Amino acid sequence: MDKKQNKAISRRDFLKTAGAAGLASAGLYACHNASNPAGKNKADTAITGEMTYRTNPKTGDRVSLLGFGMMRLPSVGGRSAREGNEEIDQETVNQLVDYALEHGVNYFDTSPAYCRGGSERATGIALSRHPRDKYFIATKLSNFAPSTWSREASIAMYQNSLKQLQTDYIDYLLLHGIGMGRDGMKEFEARYIDNGVLDYLMEERRAGRIRNLGFSYHGDIRVFDHLLAEHDRYQWDFVQIQLNYLDWKYAKQINPTNTNAEYLYNELAKRHIPAVIMEPLLGGRLSNVPDRIVARLKQREPERSIASWAFRFAGSFPDVLTVLSGMTRMEHLQDNLSTYSPLKALTDDEFDFLQQTATQMMQFDTIPCNDCKYCMPCPYGIDIPALLLHYNKCLNEGNIIADPQDEDYQRARRAYLIGYDRSVPKLRQADHCIGCNQCSPHCPQGINIPHELHRIAHYVDNLKQEKTGGKRQQHRRRRGWQ
């Protein structure tokens, strides 16, 4: 198929999308928010209407278009519990869950692997305080480690999820991270086929203890295509994919091991398999965009947040069941609620505008880290995501300048070094990487992590050398040596 024809099909699909999502905004899938007896929060004024819902074609579930991703739960120190060794702040999690339910969110996505193993328990505590028929629980069989590939270990993990979540059935169960690893197909077969675990899960679905069975896809496209080719056998109820306006056409260009979201979504749509969307913000990269992109988006919609553009993009496709967001703080939740209460579907012109924006963003050589932390923990204590994200942040803000003759070099150098030490303790910085490469095989984005860490360490070393050199030159001048 030539590029022109492919573009025409994509545009036609999107026009259908905008129409369907527009009906949803008008009330076809909507219901009123619950009242808030505690009184309105200041940010409630931005939540102008009713949550947009999508209907699961198999079960009739009315699922909120905004799904709560329980991957980045708040810690007692105020950060994400995925960072450091801080415990989950259960009281704040309860408040976030209560507020989400009050405002129409009913899909909560967790995993045994999230928050260093604590997410399912915290999710279970928060949700069990509410009637079971008021929410849908999604969790995953996260048997990544070879030690969990046996039938017994995998089944034990699944049964422990039921215990931690305080429920006797799972609404949406996923095979977690299909396609990841050095050989995606081989690992998929070892994790789910050779041990009979997928057959076991299908039996659990027939028994009603799993209401919907699907998988989350990362990496090897052969596995994705294989599982869809076997759809008649497995009858996938839903599939979770990474979709956002940058990955729509540029995922493979960013990283050859990834697949463009346009292909993934269309393959699901033509089989009428609902899509659950992860990484609508690319781990925050689409809310922390370069200043030039901020100006472009704000010129178009001054009152909307930068993140809202990405959420509107993901939600505007009619075969999307829900869009997941990891919301650590109340303001994240409130902003996302304002975007989906109700959804203002993208117009065809806005879709083009975001594709042009994505093309402009491709000019920035950011590292495609989504802060998923699958690379962690590093055996040498390096804070890999913090290092990569700090580099991206400085790049977006114009603080990566290699030429010492540039008039902004000294300002940028100072900003990078100060931020570097504040973001990452010295013992966890890039210069401690020995290149063992235990991290890269676990990265869904296929980043060559040791290469990037060595590049950052070299860059930081050059900045520090320049600082030392600058002091030496000043000293020489004072002594009359030059």
Side-chain angles (χ1 to χ4, degrees):
M1 182 183 296
D2 62 34
K3 292 182 180 179
K4 183 176 181 181
Q5 185 181 3
N6 186 58
K7 182 178 180 181
I9 291 173
S10 174
R11 303 259 296 173
R12 185 169 67 248
D13 287 345
F14 184 76
L15 283 169
K16 285 196 235 173
T17 288
L23 287 173
S25 297
L28 182 61
Y29 302 102
C31 77
H32 290 284
N33 295 325
S35 61
N36 180 5
K40 285 192 174 183
N41 187 286
K42 291 180 180 178
D44 284 350
T45 55
I47 304 171
T48 57
E50 305 162 345
M51 171 60 66
T52 299
Y53 288 81
R54 296 282 167 80
T55 302
N56 182 323
K58 177 185 174 183
T59 62
D61 292 344
R62 295 181 67 255
V63 178
S64 56
L65 189 53
L66 175 61
F68 203 131
M70 311 296 280
M71 176 186 278
R72 297 180 172 90
L73 298 180
S75 73
V76 292
R79 303 185 300 169
S80 165
R82 301 177 74 204
E83 304 171 13
N85 296 311
E86 294 177 348
E87 295 299 317
I88 293 171
D89 185 342
Q90 188 65 54
E91 182 178 352
T92 300
V93 172
N94 292 351
Q95 292 172 356
L96 289 168
V97 167
D98 291 351
Y99 192 88
L101 285 166
E102 288 169 4
H103 290 81
V105 175
N106 64 9
Y107 189 99
F108 296 83
D109 172 87
T110 182
S111 158
Y114 293 167
C115 297
R116 296 174 290 110
S119 176
E120 281 188 329
R121 181 176 181 275
T123 301
I125 291 171
L127 288 175
S128 64
R129 298 156 48 251
H130 299 272
R132 182 64 179 89
D133 62 352
K134 298 301 182 183
Y135 54 85
F136 304 113
I137 296 177
T139 194
K140 307 170 182 71
L141 187 52
S142 307
N143 56 346
F144 297 123
S147 61
T148 63
W149 289 358
S150 71
R151 178 182 176 87
E152 294 74 19
S154 293
I155 291 175
M157 181 179 290
Y158 160 70
Q159 292 175 341
N160 189 61
S161 291
L162 291 167
K163 177 183 177 181
Q164 294 295 326
L165 291 164
Q166 303 184 39
T167 184
D168 55 5
Y169 66 92
I170 303 295
D171 297 290
Y172 292 82
L173 185 83
L174 300 93
L175 315 183
H176 196 182
I178 296 302
M180 290 174 61
R182 290 186 175 90
D183 187 331
M185 184 64 74
K186 184 177 180 180
E187 291 199 13
F188 164 71
E189 291 173 348
R191 292 171 63 192
Y192 298 112
I193 303 300
D194 299 341
N195 55 14
V197 166
L198 183 50
D199 289 335
Y200 169 83
L201 295 176
M202 292 171 70
E203 286 291 338
E204 288 291 283
R205 179 172 60 180
R206 282 189 282 272
R209 286 182 287 272
I210 296 172
R211 297 183 59 246
N212 297 272
L213 182 61
F215 63 91
S216 64
Y217 164 72
H218 297 274
D220 191 338
I221 191 59
R222 296 177 304 155
V223 190
F224 179 86
D225 288 342
H226 169 74
L227 293 186
L228 291 197
E230 296 290 322
H231 179 48
D232 288 344
R233 176 183 177 187
Y234 297 126
Q235 291 295 307
W236 303 112
D237 299 304
F238 68 111
V239 174
Q240 188 165 305
I241 59 173
Q242 182 169 307
L243 183 149
N244 51 72
Y245 65 81
L246 192 61
D247 279 333
W248 184 247
K249 287 186 179 294
Y250 289 118
K252 195 167 186 65
Q253 187 171 331
I254 294 170
N255 189 326
T257 64
N258 286 347
T259 304
N260 289 347
E262 181 180 27
Y263 175 82
L264 300 175
Y265 174 81
N266 287 335
E267 288 298 299
L268 296 176
K270 72 184 185 183
R271 294 172 174 85
H272 307 291
I273 301 174
V276 171
I277 303 308
M278 59 183 165
E279 300 295 353
L281 290 179
L282 268 177
R285 286 161 58 203
L286 296 185
S287 60
N288 185 29
V289 297
D291 293 344
R292 190 172 71 189
I293 302 299
V294 171
R296 173 181 170 85
L297 297 175
K298 282 296 185 181
Q299 183 178 19
R300 185 87 179 220
E301 288 277 3
E303 301 303 316
R304 288 187 176 270
S305 70
I306 301 303
S308 70
W309 280 100
F311 282 105
R312 288 180 64 208
F313 181 89
S316 289
F317 294 93
D319 286 292
V320 166
L321 184 65
T322 190
V323 179
L324 301 176
S325 176
M327 296 173 281
T328 307
R329 298 194 296 272
M330 185 64 77
E331 55 263 36
H332 299 157
L333 174 58
Q334 290 167 336
D335 185 56
N336 292 342
L337 284 168
S338 71
T339 300
Y340 285 146
S341 301
L343 168 72
K344 179 185 175 185
L346 291 179
T347 65
D348 188 46
D349 180 61
E350 288 173 323
F351 180 83
D352 286 343
F353 170 74
L354 282 183
Q355 288 305 289
Q356 294 162 10
T357 302
T359 300
Q360 291 188 19
M361 287 187 65
M362 288 299 294
Q363 300 172 14
F364 295 86
D365 188 24
T366 54
I367 302 168
C369 173
N370 291 353
D371 195 25
C372 69
K373 292 185 170 59
Y374 289 161
C375 58
M376 298 293 281
C378 167
Y380 296 92
I382 298 168
D383 193 340
I384 297 168
L387 291 164
L388 303 186
L389 294 175
H390 176 68
Y391 180 88
N392 285 343
K393 179 177 183 293
C394 289
L395 185 66
N396 289 341
E397 295 173 351
N399 290 328
I400 302 289
I401 300 176
D403 183 4
Q405 303 305 315
D406 190 296
E407 62 180 12
D408 285 335
Y409 178 80
Q410 292 300 330
R411 175 196 58 78
R413 179 188 59 74
R414 184 174 183 275
Y416 192 98
L417 290 176
I418 291 175
Y420 190 71
D421 286 338
R422 287 177 178 172
S423 300
V424 190
K426 290 186 182 299
L427 291 178
R428 307 193 72 188
Q429 292 180 358
D431 58 330
H432 293 279
C433 175
I434 68 164
C436 70
N437 202 34
Q438 293 191 35
C439 46
S440 294
H442 303 292
C443 177
Q445 307 305 318
I447 302 170
N448 185 339
I449 295 172
H451 169 78
E452 297 296 350
L453 292 181
H454 293 161
R455 184 164 69 91
I456 291 171
H458 181 69
Y459 178 69
V460 170
D461 186 57
N462 283 344
L463 294 180
K464 291 180 177 178
Q465 293 277 349
E466 174 65 24
K467 181 177 180 181
T468 303
K471 288 182 177 178
R472 185 180 297 117
Q473 289 174 5
Q474 292 173 12
H475 179 68
R476 287 169 62 89
R477 281 193 291 269
R478 283 197 299 270
R479 296 289 300 268
W481 293 341
Q482 64 178 50

